[in-house]
Amino acid sequence: MSHPEHAHADHGHAAHGDHHHEMSFSEKYLFPTDHKYIAKQYMLTGMIMAVAAGFFAYAFRMQLAFPGMSVPFFGVVSPTEYNSLVTQHGSIMVFWVAMPVLIAAFGNFLIPLMIGADDMVFPRLNRLSYQLFLLSAILVVVGWFVPGGGFGGAWTSYPPLSAKAEYSLTPAGSSIWLAAVAVEFAAFLLGGINFVVTAMNARAPGMKWHDVPIVVWFICIASILFMASVGPLIAGAIMLLFDQQLGTHFFDPVAGGDPILWQHLFWFFGHPEVYVVLLPAIGICAEIIPVFARKKLFGYRAILYTGIATGVLSFFVWAHHQFVAGIDPRMANVFTITTVLISIPIAEMVFLYIATLYGGSIKFSVPMLWALSFIFCFLIGGVTGIFLGASGADIYLHDTYFVVAHFHYTFYPIAIIGTFAGVTHWFPKLFGRYMDEKLGQIHFWGTVLSFNLIFIPLFFTGLAGDHRRIYNYNNFAELGTPDLQWLRILATVALVIMLIFQVLFVYNFINSIFKGKLAPTNPWKATTLEWTTPSAQPGHGNWTPETMPSVYRGPYEYSAPGRDDDFHPQNVP
Amino acid sequence: MLHLTQWLVVPASTFADDIDFVFGLIFWMVGFWYVLSNVAFFYLLFKYRAQPGKKALYVTGTEHDLLKWVEWPHYAIIVCDIVIIAAAVKVWYEVKQDLPPADAEVTVVAQQWAWSFVHPGADNKIGTSDDIKTVDELHLEVDKLVHWRLQARDVLHSFSVPAFRIKQDAIPGRDIMGWFEPNRVGTYDIQCAEICGIGHGIMGARVIVHTPEEYAAWVASSSQH
């Protein structure tokens, strides 16, 4: 495929001119600069890391349900290993699964395709971003096998426990973990810059700000949140590394340092981070629901503004993680107000999603089921957050399993349901084939039902006083009761069932890549620009100069009056 | 009707009921909105499922007669938020910000991986020769308001007594003051609620709330040696 000079010179695509040439294996799969292949690299790496994190969850949940047992495929879980498993599960799910898949994979894949660009503005920076990320993933895995074992001081890594080897007993593990986190942040800084610059500069002719699909907006807002919040934490991580390795005392109270300082640095990043991964996931739902309800998104601008408002507010709530941490108690009042107020934009957004269903013609295909279950589950995560944001109630609930259940009802919809929604929806564009619908339905119901059975019991064990990161609750008189143990066993059995159901997905995913039914260019009859490119694009670049789209309208024109078909693509005059 | 507060540990301090009240208030308020949202959600999913020959409506989300269905609930949620904030801040103030006059004081010291306690002894003063020191056992007298002084020796810990509804992180290098007034005789769990290393899972202790007579007897017997 060779073409004359590109028709839209202002499109800000790849810096090099030789588009659409046949790429060698290493250009395509090992060191690609094409955004679609980088997206697949991120997605695959994230999924592999998710397998590890899922296995860790299995190991420590088995220990909780059947204390002292030799866990099949793992062995007896010692207290040290338990702490390490919990820590690695949490940090991997947030930093090496949710971040790469939701922001990096979907951001890379969707932003150029949805705004009508041939690639990211900085393709080589993009490649570097993935390579740094891969390095961080390798580092964190190496950290499990060093003498002393993997870091076990929780994903929040509070000093002094994390700062001194004589407290944590993982001299090498803690430093490698911290270095991996810092490198990972650098990788996503590069990615974030790329996303924002690309969306600002490389949009197709005619695409105004309010014609940009919500998911592109939300990934860009998330990138800005990330870039604005991660600076303090990278600085903090370096300081903590210095404390560990060079004997500095930034967080060491013995020498005048302050351990609470770390908590502020961590949560100033850590809370916006929740929205960094939430916004892409909820944005994915904003793309899927209109397609399968054949309905224009209800209140595009309102949804966009609630996303921005949520992002801004998320910078002013961090200390609700520290109500009982020893901060000035008066500060809790301020942060209770800001935290509870965040329910205003988020509730508005969820209402608008539900309102989009009104008057629709709803088809319950697999991507739609995932998007709808996102709303159902996230709603539980949202309402239970109020209990924790309200300082008075948080005194009791802080650091209990109520918190664990709450944030899994936010993070699971984000990292797992959002990913499945996106993968099943864009699979025809990613690989040019359909996934198997029936297997997809079975996988959906098996996953979502068992997910709820894992975490509903944990709300109750949390209420009953189960506190976090305890390897055996029988050590506590009030917690070692048969009733609570049954709930723990129920959660564990549900987890095992859920993990088994993922085999179906892996099979469906791999099988469909090679043997799935061939998909047309626009299988869902959708309106956004990514559906105007050939499915499974062969090489670098997304459009030929002749097919390069111009944009005439907003992204969600479904069932518009006066047309025979029920969708009006953005690029059709 | 399922009420979440039934699951909480039996309350045993004066402010436990206040905290449970905030909990119940939030439960009913967000529970109402949760149920309402789900009713709307599933009703719309059922009513507007794809049917042959039926085309979807074209609305933009700016129509005022439709928008009111989103706007009015939203205003009501803001009112609920204000009520919840007021209730939470009130209880927080009483439990954490305020320090009412004490009948007695104890010192609580957390370290990897044990709790040690200093009781005032017969003279009801800390720092005198008749102080009673214990490990993993805190003795209190019922209906007496106690100030606790919380310290940590090494890493962060968290002093959590679920039955009293109190939780406070302990920070090395700092004294953190707080209070509670046990109002129910019995023995309750003390947990370390902040991960503190490999022994975090065994860092429990017991608090024993005595009747006045029992407490006096315990002080007397402990002071003898």
Side-chain angles (χ1 to χ4, degrees):
Chain A
M1 295 163 77
S2 66
H3 296 286
E5 269 309 299
H6 208 285
H8 302 294
D10 59 339
H11 260 202
H13 32 69
H16 43 103
D18 52 343
H19 296 232
H20 305 293
H21 72 129
E22 277 304 318
M23 299 192 289
S24 67
F25 180 83
S26 85
E27 262 183 297
K28 208 168 172 179
Y29 297 107
L30 296 182
F31 308 107
T33 49
D34 183 89
H35 71 100
K36 300 183 290 294
Y37 289 97
I38 294 176
K40 286 175 193 173
Q41 287 184 321
Y42 267 119
M43 189 174 282
L44 204 63
T45 318
M47 284 176 172
I48 291 169
M49 295 302 277
V51 173
F55 176 72
F56 292 168
Y58 153 81
F60 68 70
R61 280 298 331 168
M62 288 297 277
Q63 159 65 20
L64 287 179
F66 312 104
M69 86 174 295
S70 176
V71 178
F73 312 109
F74 188 89
V76 176
V77 181
S78 72
T80 321
E81 286 167 336
Y82 182 87
N83 283 353
S84 182
L85 289 170
V86 171
T87 304
Q88 303 291 336
H89 168 78
S91 37
I92 287 171
M93 285 309 294
V94 176
F95 295 134
W96 283 279
V97 178
M99 292 287 287
V101 176
L102 287 165
I103 293 252
F106 285 115
N108 262 307
F109 189 71
L110 295 177
I111 290 177
L113 285 176
M114 288 184 125
I115 65 172
D118 262 345
D119 201 343
M120 288 288 176
V121 167
F122 306 121
R124 292 193 181 86
L125 199 66
N126 209 9
R127 180 175 60 188
L128 179 64
S129 156
Y130 174 74
Q131 288 166 344
L132 275 181
F133 169 74
L134 185 64
L135 173 69
S136 77
I138 293 169
L139 266 180
V140 79
V141 172
V142 166
W144 305 337
F145 302 104
V146 293
F151 176 56
W155 82 287
T156 52
S157 183
Y158 283 180
L161 179 65
S162 60
K164 288 196 178 173
E166 59 264 42
Y167 296 145
S168 66
L169 306 179
T170 52
S174 5
S175 292
I176 293 176
W177 180 86
L178 204 52
V181 171
V183 172
E184 206 251 15
F185 291 157
F188 285 121
L189 268 177
L190 300 180
I193 291 165
N194 224 341
F195 296 158
V196 175
V197 174
T198 303
M200 283 174 76
N201 294 306
R203 298 192 308 283
M207 183 177 263
K208 296 191 283 293
W209 283 118
H210 288 108
D211 300 328
V212 176
I214 287 287
V215 71
V216 174
W217 262 112
F218 279 10
I219 291 174
C220 287
I221 297 170
S223 300
I224 293 168
L225 296 184
F226 181 81
M227 289 190 282
S229 63
V230 79
L233 185 54
I234 293 185
I238 304 291
M239 286 152 76
L240 191 50
L241 262 176
F242 282 3
D243 272 15
Q244 289 173 350
Q245 294 298 335
L246 304 179
T248 55
H249 305 284
F250 290 112
F251 306 117
D252 181 6
V254 176
D258 185 0
I260 303 294
L261 172 63
W262 165 265
Q263 298 181 15
H264 286 298
L265 295 175
F266 184 87
W267 288 116
F268 182 76
F269 161 80
H271 203 86
E273 168 71 10
V274 176
Y275 297 93
V276 168
V277 286
L278 165 68
L279 287 173
I282 209 165
I284 285 169
C285 298
E287 301 306 317
I288 294 173
I289 291 172
V291 174
F292 291 94
R294 313 309 294 166
K295 252 313 281 306
K296 191 180 168 77
L297 201 57
F298 191 86
Y300 171 95
R301 289 186 188 216
I303 288 178
L304 174 58
Y305 299 153
T306 56
I308 295 172
T310 309
V312 172
L313 264 179
S314 74
F315 278 96
F316 302 98
V317 301
W318 80 88
H320 66 219
H321 298 270
Q322 302 165 259
F323 281 156
V324 300
I327 58 171
D328 187 324
R330 288 169 298 184
M331 248 167 51
N333 300 327
V334 180
F335 281 94
T336 290
I337 294 171
T338 54
T339 302
V340 175
L341 286 187
I342 222 165
S343 68
I344 293 173
I346 284 287
E348 174 84 6
M349 195 190 294
V350 172
F351 285 171
L352 292 168
Y353 278 48
I354 293 175
T356 300
L357 301 171
Y358 164 79
S361 174
I362 300 164
K363 207 159 159 258
F364 297 97
S365 304
V366 173
M368 183 63 161
L369 288 174
W370 286 115
L372 294 171
S373 70
F374 179 96
I375 294 184
F376 177 80
C377 296
F378 185 73
L379 206 54
I380 298 179
V383 297
T384 51
I386 304 277
F387 293 86
L388 302 164
S391 51
D394 185 63
I395 301 171
Y396 180 73
L397 296 171
H398 179 84
D399 262 340
T400 63
Y401 263 71
F402 192 90
V403 180
V404 174
H406 155 70
F407 72 70
H408 278 91
Y409 262 103
T410 61
F411 262 104
Y412 190 95
I414 291 169
I416 309 299
I417 295 180
T419 299
F420 284 142
V423 168
T424 51
H425 184 62
W426 281 291
F427 193 87
K429 194 54 58 186
L430 279 160
F431 300 105
R433 293 169 188 270
Y434 287 105
M435 285 183 90
D436 187 273
E437 177 79 10
K438 185 153 275 168
L439 278 180
Q441 296 257 0
I442 298 170
H443 170 244
F444 166 79
W445 288 107
T447 305
V448 163
L449 292 178
S450 50
F451 157 68
N452 282 283
L453 282 179
I454 301 170
F455 289 105
I456 287 176
L458 298 187
F459 279 118
F460 293 98
T461 61
L463 288 176
D466 271 14
H467 49 315
R468 294 174 69 180
R469 297 153 182 158
I470 300 296
Y471 72 95
N472 183 356
Y473 286 100
N474 296 315
N475 296 333
F476 296 86
E478 281 164 11
L479 306 176
T481 65
D483 283 356
L484 291 176
Q485 196 59 32
W486 278 115
L487 288 178
R488 292 180 201 120
I489 291 172
L490 172 61
T492 302
V493 171
L495 170 74
V496 173
I497 292 172
M498 193 198 79
L499 290 175
I500 290 171
F501 266 100
Q502 303 321 305
V503 176
L504 270 186
F505 176 79
V506 173
Y507 169 77
N508 195 2
F509 186 79
I510 295 173
N511 192 52
S512 303
I513 289 177
F514 298 107
K515 294 191 187 147
K517 203 170 84 168
L518 283 173
T521 300
N522 188 359
W524 313 123
K525 294 190 168 60
T527 53
T528 38
L529 294 182
E530 79 272 28
W531 302 106
T532 65
T533 64
S535 287
Q537 303 88 328
H540 203 156
N542 300 321
W543 285 275
T544 65
E546 297 78 44
T547 60
M548 203 78 195
S550 290
V551 168
Y552 298 94
R553 64 188 56 74
Y556 307 110
E557 293 301 312
Y558 293 97
S559 309
R563 281 180 64 87
D564 294 336
D565 48 8
D566 64 353
F567 67 112
H568 200 174
Q570 283 190 282
N571 63 320
V572 174
Chain B
M1 186 84 199
L2 172 82
H3 199 302
L4 284 179
T5 49
Q6 287 170 352
W7 283 83
L8 304 179
V9 183
V10 177
S13 79
T14 49
F15 52 60
D17 286 337
D18 300 333
I19 288 178
D20 292 359
F21 171 78
V22 177
F23 195 88
L25 179 80
I26 299 174
F27 175 73
W28 288 109
M29 280 195 165
V30 305
F32 172 77
W33 289 107
Y34 175 72
V35 171
L36 199 67
S37 311
N38 270 307
V39 167
F41 182 59
F42 283 105
Y43 170 77
L44 291 174
L45 285 182
F46 177 76
K47 175 107 194 275
Y48 295 105
R49 66 194 186 280
Q51 284 161 312
K54 223 172 127 189
K55 208 179 164 187
L57 291 176
Y58 183 81
V59 292
T60 62
T62 49
E63 297 82 355
H64 200 73
D65 57 322
L66 292 177
L67 211 51
K68 69 176 184 219
W69 289 93
V70 175
E71 277 174 351
W72 284 106
H74 201 232
Y75 296 142
I77 282 186
I78 296 175
V79 174
C80 289
D81 279 353
I82 292 168
V83 173
I84 289 170
I85 290 171
V89 167
K90 176 176 176 288
V91 172
W92 175 267
Y93 176 83
E94 288 164 6
V95 176
K96 287 283 188 178
Q97 249 173 280
D98 197 24
L99 201 60
D103 300 315
E105 192 184 320
V106 293
T107 304
V108 179
V109 182
Q111 69 193 84
Q112 285 183 326
W113 293 281
W115 296 98
S116 41
F117 303 98
V118 184
H119 305 76
D123 65 354
N124 206 24
K125 282 201 184 83
I126 293 270
T128 53
S129 60
D130 69 342
D131 286 356
I132 305 167
K133 295 182 180 172
T134 59
V135 173
D136 289 349
E137 242 180 45
L138 172 63
H139 293 263
L140 300 172
E141 189 179 340
V142 71
D143 296 329
K144 286 278 189 287
L145 197 148
V146 178
H147 282 186
W148 39 263
R149 177 185 299 276
L150 181 60
Q151 301 168 338
R153 289 259 163 81
D154 33 45
V155 300
L156 301 183
H157 299 273
S158 188
F159 177 58
S160 171
V161 190
F164 294 175
R165 307 288 188 269
I166 194 70
K167 186 174 288 142
Q168 176 62 53
D169 286 9
I171 304 166
R174 288 195 202 179
D175 280 14
I176 296 174
M177 296 296 297
W179 70 280
F180 45 57
E181 184 181 335
N183 61 359
R184 197 164 160 277
V185 174
T187 304
Y188 310 102
D189 271 358
I190 296 173
Q191 310 167 339
C192 174
E194 186 65 63
I195 188 165
C196 57
I198 62 168
H200 175 56
I202 51 166
M203 195 169 156
R206 303 286 276 167
V207 51
I208 299 140
V209 180
H210 296 280
T211 59
E213 301 76 35
E214 266 176 28
Y215 185 77
W218 174 78
V219 170
S221 70
S222 304
S223 304
Q224 278 160 10
H225 30 82

